[in-house]
Amino acid sequence: MSWTRGVSRRLREWRAARAAWRAEWPQRKAAWRECRRADREDPLLTPGPPNGFALLPWLLMGLGAFSHLLQGRTANPWIATAALLAFNSLYVAIAFRAFDRAKREARSTLAALGALGLLAVGLAAGYGGSWLMFLPLFGLAVGAVVRGRRLGPVSLALSTLAGAVAGIRDGWDGLNIAYGTFLSTMVTAAILSLSEAVRDLRAAREELARRAVAEERLRFSRDLHDLLGHTLSVVVVKSEAARRLAPRDLDAALGQIADIETVGRQALTEIREAVTGYREASLAAELDRARDLLDAAGVETAVRQSGPPLDPRPAALLGWVVREAVTNVVRHARAARCTIEVTGTAEQTRLVITDDGRGVGSTPPGSGLKGLAERIAAAGGSLESGPGPRGGFRVTAVVPSEGSEAAGAGTGPGRAAEHSG
């Protein structure tokens, strides 16, 4: 018969689930002991039932009916036995499908729930007494499957039906069955909904942790790109200058070599700071380094700065832009002149770096400028790069000021400085 095949299949599924649980138990137990030793959160004490096994002990509510059946106190025992076996099989199947959202909302699960309800009502109405406990047990299965706005009306309808059936069999004592059915339905739904919410929150927390790790790796790669690219460019330029000067001016060549040593020591310090995550590029320091690097490369440099003092975060962002743009000028532009302009107001600060080189960079920007554009965009600013209006190449960065109202109210006259090299 088809129902016997269905029962056999359900029993095989239940045995497979039990075997899987037993296979996982040694690992879970070892993890639990490790957490106890390390004073960490216990993975076995996760809020809410982990699977359908938590709903199986409630089948003991039908133990009284089973006892009457064994004692021969039930009419038509073969019908009662078949109905009891079918009820338990359907309940076990629903219990294990209730913890998977796709399976829980499937039509087959709803059909099984409907069949379980017909059996519960039939057994309760046909036999009464201990068999009435199948109504609250059916309510528990309903609470495990039905969620959302439908739960309230379904629970009230089911409680009313249970009270009516129990009232016909036991009179006013049927109110206890109605109350038990309503309570089992609502409490089960609340506990399982809370369990799902906790699991979703934990999954979201793990996803946020993974994203934080990915962002930190991206930050670290950007910092290394900016640090090493600029430092190696300085070393290459000064090494070329030392090679050219060595045959005719040994003292000047030794000065360039001393600068290389200083740059290398400074780079080591900056890399250590970048690894620990504390490095912040200073705009003033980067402007000085840019001027020295461009002078060593034979590029005439003009640096103009005006406006109120910058807050640390905007200054750090603009310092990275100066470092990347000047490095690109030395590497690719073959420029004779480079102009760096910093103009600040109480609301924002604008940095413009222009050269008269061959305009390399009008093509899509490299990884350095892309990374800086993402950083500045995350801070509410913008970065644009491309050919200048009169040839060459231009990089424009705009960053908002932190605490602009305080800056506008508390800063004195703007400072202006211009340096030419």
Side-chain angles (χ1 to χ4, degrees):
M1 297 176 63
S2 60
W3 69 271
T4 58
R5 289 195 298 269
V7 171
S8 300
R9 181 166 57 85
R10 296 303 179 189
L11 287 175
R12 287 195 299 271
E13 292 179 355
W14 181 77
R15 289 171 182 170
R18 184 179 62 177
W21 183 83
R22 286 181 175 178
E24 294 177 358
W25 172 245
Q27 299 177 356
R28 294 169 64 87
K29 190 175 181 180
W32 174 70
R33 289 179 175 176
E34 179 64 24
C35 289
R36 287 285 299 274
R37 286 194 296 266
D39 195 20
R40 296 197 305 268
E41 185 179 4
D42 185 358
L44 296 180
L45 299 180
T46 55
N51 51 45
F53 284 105
L55 299 179
L56 298 187
W58 294 103
L59 286 173
L60 296 176
M61 294 172 63
L63 193 59
F66 183 70
S67 176
H68 288 175
L69 185 62
L70 291 180
Q71 294 174 10
R73 297 163 54 185
T74 303
N76 300 317
W78 289 109
I79 296 177
T81 300
L84 185 61
L85 181 60
F87 183 93
N88 290 339
S89 301
L90 289 172
Y91 179 87
V92 171
I94 293 172
F96 281 97
R97 294 174 71 89
F99 291 87
D100 188 318
R101 181 171 299 178
K103 293 181 179 180
R104 183 175 68 235
E105 297 175 354
R107 293 183 178 179
S108 58
T109 303
L110 297 179
L113 189 64
L116 187 71
L118 292 176
L119 286 172
V121 173
L123 291 173
Y127 295 102
S130 299
W131 296 84
L132 292 173
M133 297 304 297
F134 286 102
L135 292 172
L137 190 58
F138 173 61
L140 191 146
V142 171
V145 173
V146 180
R147 307 290 169 83
R149 297 180 179 179
R150 298 179 299 171
L151 178 63
V154 169
S155 178
L156 290 175
L158 177 59
S159 302
T160 303
L161 176 62
V165 173
I168 293 173
R169 297 293 307 188
D170 288 355
W172 289 103
D173 290 340
L175 293 177
N176 296 329
I177 298 298
Y179 176 72
T181 302
F182 177 79
L183 194 63
S184 64
T185 304
M186 298 301 294
V187 171
T188 302
I191 292 177
L192 297 188
S193 298
L194 180 61
S195 173
E196 285 189 353
V198 170
R199 286 197 295 269
D200 291 342
L201 288 175
R202 291 192 174 190
R205 184 178 63 182
E206 293 175 358
E207 179 63 23
L208 290 175
R210 285 193 292 268
R211 290 187 179 183
V213 171
E215 291 177 359
E216 182 62 16
R217 288 175 177 172
L218 182 59
R219 180 202 67 81
F220 184 62
S221 64
R222 287 172 177 171
D223 284 358
L224 286 183
H225 173 275
D226 296 338
L227 285 169
L228 295 179
H230 175 78
T231 301
L232 293 177
S233 297
V234 173
V235 169
V236 170
V237 171
K238 289 189 172 292
S239 298
E240 291 177 350
R243 178 177 54 80
R244 292 195 304 267
L245 293 171
R248 61 177 185 272
D249 192 344
L250 184 59
D251 293 336
L254 291 175
Q256 295 293 334
I257 294 174
D259 291 343
I260 293 173
E261 180 182 2
T262 302
V263 169
R265 294 181 184 277
Q266 185 176 5
L268 288 175
T269 302
E270 290 177 344
I271 289 175
R272 293 190 187 102
E273 292 174 352
V275 169
T276 55
Y278 294 114
R279 184 181 187 277
E280 292 293 347
S282 169
L283 179 59
E286 292 298 338
L287 291 174
D288 292 337
R289 294 172 187 169
R291 188 183 305 108
D292 293 340
L293 176 60
L294 292 170
D295 288 343
V299 179
E300 183 181 355
T301 310
V303 179
R304 305 182 182 91
Q305 187 175 4
S306 63
L310 292 178
D311 294 313
R313 188 181 182 189
L317 289 173
L318 294 181
W320 284 115
V321 175
V322 170
R323 172 179 286 242
E324 180 66 23
V326 170
T327 301
N328 289 338
V329 170
V330 174
R331 283 181 176 178
H332 310 297
R334 296 182 183 177
R337 180 176 176 81
C338 179
T339 302
I340 304 174
E341 294 181 305
V342 182
T343 306
T345 64
E347 291 77 21
Q348 66 180 22
T349 302
R350 179 185 180 89
L351 169 67
V352 180
I353 302 176
T354 309
D355 66 70
D356 60 353
R358 56 182 181 177
V360 174
S362 56
T363 56
S367 59
L369 290 178
K370 284 183 179 179
L372 288 173
E374 294 173 359
R375 286 187 182 185
I376 294 176
S382 63
L383 186 143
E384 298 177 355
S385 59
R390 300 178 181 177
F393 192 69
R394 180 171 66 180
V395 177
T396 303
V398 179
V399 295
S401 301
E402 294 181 351
S404 57
E405 295 181 0
T411 55
R415 56 186 174 85
E418 179 173 345
H419 309 278
S420 298

